[in-house]
Amino acid sequence: MTKKRKRAGPGQPSRYTKAAAARICDLIIEGKTLRQIAATEGMPSIPSIYRWMEAHPEFREQYARAKDIQTEILVDEIRTIAFDGSMDVEEREDRNGNTYEVTRQDVVQRSKLMVDAIKWQASKLKPKKYGDKLDLNHSGKVETSTPTLRISSTVPKPDGK
């Protein structure tokens, strides 16, 4: 009697194929995380994906390109988030039945958080393009300024007058 093989679930299979590698990269470009990919039916586990990158230079390069593209798409998404004010304002009604608009600070703050998170991620994934710019040039001169002391007319002068 032969044993029935278990159906592959999340975190399976661990055998490298070019088709599986391409699918992983496509999912990355679509914005999926490795955690989400590994949880998908028929996809390898996160450690397997990293082992594949170690063992297959072509997959490592394909993965790096996919992350670059994912970063560019995320950066494009910033404009969409920042300029979408459709949920920022809510209409309310007072006791007299008059309507007025109220800014939904929770929605505004959530949008700000999303933009900041994307900016942070982009700065880590592509620091040369999206990271903070530091000016490390130095002319060799050190300029200092002496603070100007101002004497108010209400302060007595040194001669006591």
Side-chain angles (χ1 to χ4, degrees):
M1 182 176 197
T2 60
K3 286 187 178 182
K4 230 181 185 182
R5 280 181 81 188
K6 277 184 161 181
R7 187 176 158 195
Q12 302 285 331
S14 62
R15 281 192 232 145
Y16 175 82
T17 65
K18 288 184 178 184
R23 181 68 184 135
I24 289 167
C25 291
D26 287 346
L27 290 170
I28 288 168
I29 290 170
E30 291 174 15
K32 302 289 185 208
T33 65
L34 283 184
R35 186 173 309 283
Q36 291 170 322
I37 293 168
T40 303
E41 186 79 24
M43 285 287 127
S45 66
I46 293 172
S48 292
I49 293 170
Y50 280 106
R51 282 193 294 273
W52 289 6
M53 281 190 269
E54 188 69 31
H56 303 279
E58 71 279 359
F59 176 53
R60 185 171 47 249
E61 291 170 17
Q62 189 179 8
Y63 178 87
R65 282 192 306 275
K67 290 301 281 185
D68 280 348
I69 294 167
Q70 180 191 52
T71 302
E72 295 301 325
I73 291 169
L74 282 170
V75 169
D76 284 348
E77 187 69 16
I78 288 175
R79 286 183 58 83
T80 303
I81 295 165
F83 292 116
D84 179 11
S86 62
M87 301 294 293
D88 293 356
V89 177
E90 171 178 81
E91 263 193 21
R92 292 192 183 162
E93 193 172 300
D94 65 16
R95 292 181 198 174
N96 300 324
N98 300 319
T99 59
Y100 62 98
E101 291 184 342
V102 175
T103 300
R104 293 199 49 209
Q105 290 299 325
D106 59 328
V107 174
V108 173
Q109 289 303 314
R110 178 72 178 157
S111 296
K112 183 181 179 341
L113 177 65
M114 291 169 66
V115 167
D116 288 346
I118 293 169
K119 286 176 12 183
W120 179 86
Q121 185 178 9
S123 76
K124 301 307 172 200
L125 292 171
K126 290 182 111 177
K128 287 183 181 176
K129 187 169 185 179
Y130 297 113
D132 292 331
K133 306 289 188 269
L134 296 176
D135 185 6
L136 300 177
N137 294 325
H138 193 279
S139 65
K141 296 179 185 176
V142 178
E143 293 184 26
T144 61
S145 62
T146 307
T148 307
L149 181 61
R150 296 179 189 220
I151 300 175
S152 168
S153 61
T154 58
V155 176
K157 294 184 180 177
D159 62 358
K161 294 183 183 178

